[in-house]
Amino acid sequence: MSNPDVVPAGRLRTMRRAAWASIVANAVIVVTGGAVRLTASGLGCPTWPKCTSTSFTPEAHLHGIIEFGNRLLTYVLVAIAIWAFVAAWRTARRDLRKIAFLAALGIPVQAVLGGITVLTGLTWWVVGAHMILSMILIGLSVLLLHRTYSTSAPRRGPAVVLAWIVLAAAALVIVLGVVVTGAGPHAGDADVPRSGLDTLQVSQLHADAVFLYIGLTVGLLLLLLATGAPRASVRAAWWLIGVQLAQAVIGFVQYFTGVPEVLVGAHMAGTTMVAGWTTWLLLQVRQPPREPRGDEPVQDLAATTSA
C-alpha cells in the first residue's frame, strides 16, 4: 500500500487535469442552461427523465433539441466526476478523495433538481436553486484543484476572516442575481409566470450588494499588500477585482439596454468566473500553495483540516 504522504508528480498532474475539466464542464453547463432559458426552450422536453411522454429523445423541433442537448451534457459531467474521483483515489490523499466524492455526488443531485425544474413548470426559485448548485460545484472543483498545490497548514488572521466575508458577499450577490432573474424576462418559456417582485427594486438591491462585494475585495487587496502577503494571494485578488469590474459593466449595460439575450448569457458566464475566482482567492489567502517537485512528500491535509 502506498504512503499517503507521498504523491507521485504524474498522479498530481492527472488530478489537476481532472479538476480543471470539472471546473470548465460545470461552467459550460451553466452557459448552455442559460441558452435553454434565453431561447425559451426550458420546456422543449416537457417531462423528466424522458424528454416526451413516450421517448427519451426530443421531437424534431428546435426547442426540444436545445433542451435535450443540455441534458446530454450531464453525461459529460458524470464522466469527468468519475475521472476526478479515480484520480483522487490514486493519490491516496483523504482530503482529495473527500472533495472529489462531494463534487461527484453533486452531479446526480443536479440532474434530479433539473428534473424538478421541468416538472414544476420552470418555477423561478427552483431554476435559481439549479443555478446556485452549479456555483457550489464550481467552488468544490476549484477547491479540488487548489488542494493539489497546497501543502501548508491553514493560516489564520484578519486577512483570512476578510476573505471569508468576501466569499459570503459573493454568495449574496449570486442569490440576489437569481432573485432579479426571477422577476425579469427570459423565464425559459413564454407561459411561465414570474416572481411578481418589483424589477427595479430587486435590481437596485443586487447592485448595492455588488458595490459591497467589490469594496470588500479592494479592502482585502489593500490588507494583503500592507501585510506583505504572498504574491499568489495578491495576484488572485487583482484577478478577482478585474472579473468583478467586467461583470459589473455587463450587468449595468444589460439592465439599461433591456436585458438582451447575448448580454444575459455573458453575465451568466461571468457569474461562473465570480464563483471560481472568489473561491480561489479565499484558498490562496488561507493556504498559499506551492508546486510540489518530483515525488517530494505532500502533506495529507485531511489530518490538519477538513475539506
Side-chain angles (χ1 to χ4, degrees), residues 15-41:
M15 185 72 264
R16 287 171 192 154
R17 293 189 187 105
W20 269 114
S22 181
I23 294 169
V24 172
N26 277 289
V28 167
I29 203 166
V30 168
V31 174
T32 58
V36 170
R37 182 166 58 83
L38 295 169
T39 58
S41 302

Side-chain angles (χ1 to χ4, degrees), residues 178-233:
V178 167
V179 175
V180 172
T181 300
H186 310 309
D189 187 85
D191 298 325
V192 173
R194 310 313 289 136
S195 67
L197 297 173
D198 184 88
T199 305
L200 177 61
Q201 290 183 354
V202 294
S203 296
Q204 182 61 60
L205 186 60
H206 177 59
D208 292 342
V210 169
F211 290 134
L212 174 64
Y213 173 43
I214 295 176
L216 288 169
T217 307
V218 171
L220 176 58
L221 172 62
L222 295 176
L223 179 59
L224 293 173
L225 291 171
T227 56
R231 286 183 297 175
S233 302

Side-chain angles (χ1 to χ4, degrees), residues 6 56 61 71 76 154 168 184 218 235 243 276 281:
V6 178
F56 282 96
H61 58 80
R71 291 189 181 190
V76 176
V218 171
R235 186 164 55 246
V243 169
L281 174 58

Side-chain angles (χ1 to χ4, degrees), residues 87-103:
W89 191 267
R90 293 185 72 237
T91 67
R93 278 180 52 182
R94 290 172 294 171
D95 60 322
L96 295 180
R97 291 176 177 178
K98 183 188 296 186
I99 300 165
F101 175 75
L102 290 175

Side-chain angles (χ1 to χ4, degrees), residues 80-132:
I80 292 173
I82 293 173
W83 175 27
F85 184 73
V86 171
W89 191 267
R90 293 185 72 237
T91 67
R93 278 180 52 182
R94 290 172 294 171
D95 60 322
L96 295 180
R97 291 176 177 178
K98 183 188 296 186
I99 300 165
F101 175 75
L102 290 175
L105 185 63
I107 305 305
V109 173
Q110 185 75 309
V112 171
L113 186 55
I116 294 173
T117 300
V118 172
L119 297 176
T120 57
L122 308 183
T123 302
W124 73 270
W125 61 268
V126 181
V127 175
H130 201 35
M131 173 74 169
I132 291 170

